[in-house]
Amino acid sequence: MLKKLIFNTIFAILTLATPSFALPLSPGDRVKISIPEGAEFSGIFEVNLEGNLEIPYLNSLPVVGLEPEQVEENLTTALVDGAFFKRSFLQVSLKVVQWGPVEVFVSGATFLPGRVFINEPSPAEKTQPPMLVAGQYPLNRYLATAIRDAGGVKPTADIRNIQLVRDGETRTIDLSGMLTGEPFTDVALIAGDRIIVPDAGKIDNGLMRSSPITPGGVKVFLSNLTVPATGNGVSAIGKDSSSLTYGSRLSHAVAAANCAGGTRGTNAERQAILVTTEQLTGKTTYLKRQVNDILTNSTNDLNNPFLQSNDIVVCYDSKVVEFRDVIQSIISPIISPINFLRDLFK
């Protein structure tokens, strides 16, 4: 317990003491070492899978988890201890020329937990040679990016107590500022980091909106057909109607599918069914409500729940319309027997 407390305290002090762009090195990162009158030690080197720099004439130099300034100091010490230079005459410059992608693991209350690769270069970047850019740092090597790439947090997530596990040590991080606008610390990640997003066990409506750590939108499937047809075109349901912003509720889907409106006497009691499938377990649940109740009690979470990706919303006509259609099906053959017989023998 004491060891964990000391680790968290030191980690917090270092985070506050260093600028937000300070980053530890990870396997795959490339650095440029420049030493005047030391060409044999100079060049571009990549951190290997063991987390070391392999520099000619020196033992493997461990660098993973260290910031470039610390690696520069350790390299200076190694060169002096190896009697290659005297410290008073040695000048070492170590700069990152390419930040590599890193593999991290995200579990807990996210929509797509699992292994996540962050800071992967684009196809165009892969073909470009490493080059030194002053102040260069990867925006996509941070905790928030890993959570976003894991599908974003669920509405039950406890974002004030996110766990970062590195080398067997755990640090608790509060990312609530991502949604409130309060200052917060977004931690730079290295390969092998593990992120655990705790589940609070209850929905936080404040998380039901688009943000850097929540989904940008939800794709739902809508149907509003009075009779079976080949598509939803007659109901004006297109891709814009079914691609809704994250935080949309069942009432938004009902309106997008044109299930509401029209003649109140026949349409007010139309039924809407919401079918939701849990992504991880495959468990399917459904909710059936009258359209008018959904719209008039739209702030009730149980009556008008938030939509999840791949939800299905189907609208059925009211009993008045159903009775009308039954009567029409009985009367129509009597009024038009020729058409009825023609359809019968097709």
Side-chain angles (χ1 to χ4, degrees):
M1 187 69 180
L2 180 60
K3 184 179 179 182
K4 179 179 178 181
L5 178 61
I6 294 174
F7 173 78
N8 285 339
T9 302
I10 295 175
F11 208 155
I13 293 173
L14 289 175
T15 302
L16 292 174
T18 55
S20 60
F21 54 78
L23 279 167
L25 293 177
S26 192
D29 291 341
R30 293 181 180 181
V31 299
K32 182 177 181 180
I33 298 174
S34 300
I35 303 175
E37 300 183 3
E40 62 271 33
F41 304 105
S42 301
I44 294 177
F45 301 90
E46 183 171 294
V47 182
N48 63 22
L49 291 176
E50 287 72 36
N52 303 322
L53 286 178
E54 302 293 343
I55 301 173
Y57 311 111
L58 295 179
N59 293 328
S60 297
L61 186 67
V63 298
V64 163
L66 302 179
E67 293 173 9
E69 293 80 3
Q70 183 61 57
V71 176
E72 188 177 275
E73 179 59 33
N74 291 353
L75 177 56
T76 300
T77 300
L79 290 169
V80 172
D81 290 347
F84 295 102
F85 297 90
K86 291 184 178 180
R87 183 174 288 272
S88 58
F89 295 99
L90 178 60
Q91 292 181 328
V92 176
S93 172
L94 185 147
K95 301 296 182 183
V96 178
V97 295
Q98 190 174 64
W99 296 96
V102 297
E103 176 190 59
V104 297
F105 302 88
V106 183
S107 61
T110 65
F111 285 101
L112 297 172
R115 183 176 67 170
V116 175
F117 286 93
I118 57 176
N119 197 52
E120 289 194 276
S122 65
E125 290 173 331
K126 291 179 180 179
T127 61
Q128 296 175 355
M131 57 183 297
L132 181 61
V133 180
Q136 180 189 29
Y137 70 99
L139 294 172
N140 295 321
R141 274 267 291 260
Y142 285 85
L143 175 61
T145 301
I147 292 175
R148 180 197 66 199
D149 289 357
V153 297
K154 291 183 176 180
T156 56
D158 180 5
I159 62 173
R160 292 174 176 81
N161 293 289
I162 294 175
Q163 309 294 310
L164 171 62
V165 183
R166 179 180 297 171
D167 295 329
E169 302 290 347
T170 302
R171 181 193 174 193
T172 301
I173 301 168
D174 183 355
L175 286 185
S176 59
M178 297 288 283
L179 284 90
T180 64
E182 296 296 321
F184 68 96
T185 300
D186 196 0
V187 181
L189 302 180
I190 64 174
D193 279 350
R194 183 185 177 196
I195 298 104
I196 304 172
V197 181
D199 193 310
K202 59 180 181 180
I203 293 178
D204 179 359
N205 285 1
L207 293 177
M208 293 303 303
R209 64 181 179 86
S210 297
S211 77
I213 57 172
T214 56
V218 290
K219 176 71 174 179
V220 294
F221 297 87
L222 307 176
S223 178
N224 176 23
L225 301 178
T226 300
V227 294
T230 58
N232 276 323
V234 293
S235 296
I237 300 177
K239 63 179 182 179
D240 294 332
S241 300
S242 57
S243 297
L244 304 175
T245 58
Y246 188 67
S248 298
R249 293 178 180 265
L250 175 58
S251 56
H252 296 98
V254 166
N258 293 320
C259 294
T263 305
R264 185 177 181 85
T266 58
N267 295 345
E269 295 186 1
R270 295 194 75 190
Q271 301 285 330
I273 293 181
L274 170 65
V275 182
T276 298
T277 302
E278 177 62 37
Q279 292 182 350
L280 295 180
T281 64
K283 180 182 178 181
T284 299
T285 58
Y286 78 93
L287 176 73
K288 183 178 181 180
R289 292 287 188 273
Q290 284 189 357
V291 168
N292 196 56
D293 289 341
I294 296 172
L295 298 177
T296 55
N297 295 308
S298 58
T299 59
N300 187 315
D301 290 345
L302 295 178
N303 188 65
N304 187 26
F306 291 104
L307 295 172
Q308 299 183 36
S309 186
N310 295 323
D311 276 354
I312 299 172
V313 178
V314 179
C315 298
Y316 291 98
D317 288 324
S318 66
K319 291 183 178 179
V320 175
V321 175
E322 182 180 344
F323 177 75
R324 181 196 64 193
D325 290 344
V326 169
I327 295 300
Q328 287 180 345
S329 66
I330 295 174
I331 296 177
S332 180
I334 299 175
I335 297 176
S336 182
I338 297 176
N339 291 339
F340 172 72
L341 293 173
R342 181 189 62 193
D343 294 339
L344 183 63
F345 289 101
K346 273 187 176 180

